[in-house]
Amino acid sequence: MSAVPAPGARGWAGKTLLLARKDLVIEVRGRDTLPPMLVFSLAVTLLLAFTLPDTSRPSARVVLPVGTASVADVLAGFLWVTVLFAGLVGFARSFEVERHEGAIDALLLVPLDRSGLYLAKAMTNLAFIVAVELFLFPVFAVLFPIGLGAGVVAVVVLVDVGFVAIGTLFAALAAQTRSRELMLPVLAFPVLVPVFIAAVELTSDLFLGRPTGVVVGAGWFGILVAFDLIYAVVGALAFEYVIE
Amino acid sequence: MIAIEGVRVTYRRTVALHSIDLLLLPGVTGLFGPNGSGKSTLLRVLAGLLRPGGGTVTWDGVPITAADEAFRARVGYAGHGSGLYDRLSVRENLELFGALHGVGAARVEEMLELVGLRDRGGLPAGELSAGLKRRAAVARALLHEPQLLLLDEPYANLDDDGAGKVSDAIKAWRAPGRVGLVATHGARRVKGYADGSIILQHGRIISYRVRTPAEAPT
């Protein structure tokens, strides 16, 4: 896999794709980011499989220190917490390749709008998250009685957009601090809470077997769409100031 | 022509540049001074990578800022780091930045040849010695034939052969109207071809000298 497929003049989209491709080539060669994300996901899932009591009925109630919840609620919660933490592990590393040897300076001086830099990095982060989900969700479906229908896929797509949009922005911000791996969760968690609450609520309903049409029509779906739009716009606009 | 007026940069309580005034003329100017004198800071300000706390920097009357895409297309900068990706080969690094600057493969090969890295073009940049990385960094900065060239210690870790190749590459880049500023401790290497020299000390310019026609460099 070559980092630069073919030389020649490129526009905004071409340069953006080139930068995203560069990140993926570097990951394929170095395997620095994705393996830790996958190992983390697998470890949490296996731990959950051995910890939870009978999960054969998603509607069964589980007693928690703060009340009771259905098995579907617990599974949805753990599923998205795993995605959240695995994602942050990856995002925290996403600007490492630019910091090393001062490549970020060279990158900031290429004639490409900052939105291109942002989108390229967001596309790479999205690829990592999708790879984790393609691994995690089937493992979850094997270990627990959950269905992965079109509704779950729709929720995953919406969560990924919001998560990557704001995660990439905060990763750029955290990359400029000394304790970036600690700073990223501190910065991103409060902002990501609405997206992941919506994701848990929607996924839990789908795991309980509620019709996709009913779930999509519920308020949480609209909230997720609204936050995606806000985060995508804020991410693209604020990136320029953050990266400089 | 680049005009620097009252540029002041502070890092917390340390003043890196004290209200610098300077008129940078076309040609290559050597920037000399001891460690901590403000050379790198001045280069970063001129590249638009560092916003000064006060003063202005203009290029032919237009304020310099890295936010300006047209400016970025005309500046070549190599800082302390090589600016290369370790897991890409030297050639892939140059092809990447070439493509981002709209430069073709032929120019990449030309630059590899010029800095003596053609044989090592296929090696991952991370496997190069510090000196070879320096050469590759200079090649990256010169790749798109910038109008403004800013090099921070381009001779660091270089042997005489490598230093000669870097000097040749800079001389080949020199053309009417182009402005170059080369910061280095090794004044000897730059003085052979520089059109002028600046000496910085404690963030202040203590000497700025432009060669007379009689002293024209080779």
Side-chain angles (χ1 to χ4, degrees):
Chain A
M1 189 176 179
S2 171
V4 185
R10 285 178 169 82
W12 178 87
K15 289 177 181 177
T16 301
L17 287 173
L18 191 62
L19 286 175
R21 186 186 172 97
K22 174 264 296 175
D23 281 340
L24 293 176
V25 168
I26 288 172
E27 176 59 22
V28 166
R29 291 181 188 173
R31 299 183 194 95
D32 293 324
T33 304
L34 198 52
M37 295 169 80
L38 294 176
V39 169
F40 174 82
S41 305
L42 183 64
V44 172
T45 308
L46 290 179
L47 197 65
L48 183 64
F50 285 106
T51 307
L52 277 181
D54 179 21
T55 56
S56 57
R57 285 185 308 116
S59 58
R61 306 301 290 178
V62 177
V63 180
L64 301 170
V66 289
T68 63
S70 68
V71 166
D73 288 335
V74 174
L75 290 177
F78 270 99
L79 181 64
W80 285 113
V81 164
T82 308
V83 170
L84 173 63
F85 277 91
L88 290 176
V89 166
F91 293 173
R93 291 200 53 81
S94 62
F95 283 90
E96 203 56 37
V97 70
E98 320 295 346
R99 282 175 48 86
H100 187 62
E101 287 286 347
I104 187 69
D105 286 342
L107 210 53
L108 285 174
L109 288 172
V110 299
L112 169 66
D113 190 87
R114 303 296 190 225
S115 60
L117 297 182
Y118 171 74
L119 188 60
K121 201 51 89 177
M123 283 160 65
T124 313
N125 284 336
L126 182 63
F128 291 155
I129 280 293
V130 168
V132 166
E133 288 164 346
L134 285 173
F135 168 77
L136 179 66
F137 279 68
V139 171
F140 242 73
V142 168
L143 293 174
F144 307 110
I146 59 167
L148 300 178
V152 173
V153 173
V155 173
V156 167
V157 168
L158 288 175
V159 171
D160 286 359
V161 169
F163 186 24
V164 165
I166 217 68
T168 303
L169 178 69
F170 282 124
L173 191 61
Q176 294 168 43
T177 65
R178 281 180 199 275
S179 50
R180 48 196 162 275
E181 263 113 16
L182 288 174
M183 282 306 292
L184 180 58
V186 170
L187 292 168
F189 275 163
V191 185
L192 286 168
V193 162
V195 167
F196 280 88
I197 288 177
V200 170
E201 294 289 343
L202 289 165
T203 314
S204 169
D205 283 351
L206 291 165
F207 286 172
L208 284 169
R210 299 214 169 104
T212 301
V214 174
V215 175
V216 168
W220 286 113
F221 202 82
I223 288 172
L224 202 48
V225 171
F227 271 100
D228 275 2
L229 289 172
I230 293 167
Y231 288 172
V233 171
V234 169
L237 292 178
F239 185 76
E240 178 174 352
Y241 301 99
V242 166
I243 201 72
E244 284 179 14
Chain B
M1 189 169 63
I2 293 175
I4 302 168
E5 291 177 71
V7 163
R8 179 183 165 83
V9 175
T10 54
Y11 298 112
R12 296 178 190 268
R13 280 176 293 176
T14 307
V15 182
L17 291 177
H18 291 267
S19 195
I20 296 264
D21 290 305
L22 182 66
L23 211 54
L24 213 50
L25 301 170
V28 178
T29 303
L31 179 59
F32 311 117
N35 289 337
S37 57
K39 301 189 297 293
S40 300
T41 300
L42 180 58
L43 288 179
R44 290 184 68 79
V45 168
L46 287 170
L49 291 167
L50 182 64
R51 226 167 270 162
T56 57
V57 185
T58 56
W59 187 0
D60 293 337
V62 180
I64 280 179
T65 163
D68 178 1
E69 215 173 305
F71 165 74
R72 297 202 298 265
R74 296 196 299 156
V75 63
Y77 170 80
H80 281 170
S82 67
L84 304 172
Y85 295 100
D86 278 355
R87 298 211 192 271
L88 302 185
S89 71
V90 179
R91 184 171 280 108
E92 284 174 331
N93 267 290
L94 294 194
E95 284 174 350
L96 172 71
F97 284 102
L100 293 169
H101 280 281
V103 168
R107 174 68 180 160
V108 169
E109 294 305 318
E110 187 187 334
M111 281 315 304
L112 285 171
E113 182 73 46
L114 207 52
V115 297
L117 287 175
R118 194 158 197 174
D119 294 343
R120 295 183 171 97
L123 285 178
E127 291 181 16
L128 295 183
S129 68
L132 294 180
K133 266 190 190 174
R134 247 12 251 157
R135 289 201 230 170
V138 171
R140 181 189 50 72
L142 288 168
L143 193 60
H144 55 293
E145 302 190 80
Q147 292 297 304
L148 172 60
L149 178 66
L150 304 163
L151 300 177
D152 200 350
E153 299 292 354
Y155 297 103
N157 302 307
L158 290 185
D159 55 19
D160 285 345
D161 179 51
K165 286 192 162 59
V166 164
S167 293
D168 288 345
I170 295 170
K171 284 188 233 174
W173 161 84
R174 195 161 52 181
R178 289 181 179 172
V179 180
L181 194 56
V182 180
T184 178
H185 287 104
R188 177 178 56 88
R189 300 197 196 275
V190 178
K191 277 184 176 164
Y193 61 87
D195 303 287
S197 64
I198 297 168
I199 301 177
L200 273 177
Q201 199 164 42
H202 302 307
R204 289 189 171 87
I205 294 174
I206 59 168
S207 163
Y208 180 26
R209 189 163 172 272
V210 180
R211 285 195 185 195
T212 61
E215 302 172 308
T218 52

